[in-house]
Amino acid sequence: MSITELTQRQRTRRPWVDDPYARALRTGRGPLFLRRSDGWLLPLDVERWCAAPDATDTALLRRCQGPVLDIGCGPGRLVAALTAYGHGALGVDVSPAAVARTRGAGGAVLHRSVFDRLPAEGSWGTALLADGNIGIGGDPHALLLRIRELLAPAGRLLVEAAPYDVDERLTVRVEDARGRHGSDFPWARLGTRALLAAAADTGWSPAERWEADGRPFVDLRRCAPPDQP
């Protein structure tokens, strides 16, 4: 799937908008889940996302350089923390509730998909994909190729992987404990091994790997894609 096709699909599907996710962000509380059609449930850590950054988040933010783009910023804890540190940062998110909460926390944010046109393309020093956001769009290869367009040549992509060995492309929906749910949308989950394989396929090389509090991370740097010299 091309980036243009994925952009069009992102615009026609509106996950995370007027559904239990929006309500959870307004209150800062779950429980909230991703549900697959076969009944499988993945808990979403709403309370942590809506709290101040923890020690694991802080270690991630210390690795940021230059202006930072937080892709799928959610309620904005990372953007707000970077701003408080005096670091240039911008969040992007498709959820109006996430955008409102990020602005309320003092972070700069755009109500936009990563596949839409963004400011300063090709000059961001760091991009963040935290909290499972490698799954955005359900096509990690397309997402990783898009982020190559956004970063400066010496920029870094800091990605949080799933905490176990997984490589899945899913159709899911957001659901709360009462069974209220939003619309279906494509998602993906990648553990570290699958993430590194997708990175190699799309012109990234790992500069660092680390784990904290059961959360694995990879620092990726741009390199020549496999089909280029």
Side-chain angles (χ1 to χ4, degrees):
M1 179 181 297
S2 71
I3 291 177
T4 299
E5 290 170 333
L6 187 56
T7 302
Q8 292 171 345
R9 192 166 81 177
Q10 287 277 343
R11 286 172 175 163
T12 57
R13 298 192 183 198
R14 291 170 55 82
W16 315 102
V17 179
D18 186 19
D19 60 17
Y21 177 73
R23 289 191 289 270
L25 287 199
R26 285 192 287 268
T27 63
R29 298 190 304 272
L32 200 66
F33 310 92
L34 288 183
R35 177 182 285 275
R36 198 164 57 190
S37 58
D38 63 3
W40 168 94
L41 289 175
L42 176 69
L44 299 177
D45 204 351
V46 175
E47 286 84 356
R48 180 174 63 79
W49 297 346
C50 291
D54 58 19
T56 301
D57 293 330
T58 300
L60 173 67
L61 297 180
R62 286 176 180 157
R63 289 169 166 85
C64 293
Q65 62 179 24
V68 181
L69 184 67
D70 186 3
I71 298 166
C73 67
R77 75 186 190 284
L78 303 181
V79 176
L82 286 165
T83 302
Y85 298 157
H87 212 115
L90 175 69
V92 294
D93 205 288
V94 298
S95 163
V99 170
R101 185 146 186 151
T102 299
R103 286 181 179 150
V109 62
L110 290 176
H111 180 209
R112 205 168 295 182
S113 164
V114 65
F115 295 101
D116 292 332
R117 187 70 181 173
L118 295 175
E121 294 201 9
S123 61
W124 292 96
T126 303
L128 296 176
L129 285 174
D131 304 324
N133 281 334
I134 186 63
I136 287 173
D139 187 341
H141 286 74
L143 180 59
L144 290 167
L145 288 170
R146 171 58 175 148
I147 296 172
R148 284 181 59 89
E149 300 173 347
L150 298 173
L151 283 180
R156 60 178 56 178
L157 170 58
L158 303 178
V159 188
E160 181 175 353
Y164 31 79
D165 192 12
V166 63
D167 186 2
E168 293 185 326
R169 311 297 182 270
L170 313 167
T171 298
V172 296
R173 66 190 189 192
V174 179
E175 186 169 307
D176 66 17
R178 298 183 180 181
R180 297 176 296 189
H181 60 82
S183 59
D184 290 350
F185 61 95
W187 195 249
R189 296 195 304 149
L190 274 66
T192 300
R193 181 165 63 176
L195 171 60
L196 292 173
D201 289 343
T202 52
W204 298 91
S205 61
E208 182 187 7
R209 294 169 57 179
W210 75 99
E211 184 171 325
D213 196 27
R215 296 167 61 190
F217 297 88
V218 180
D219 178 351
L220 297 173
R221 310 296 174 90
R222 288 175 50 173
C223 59
D227 59 350
Q228 295 185 9

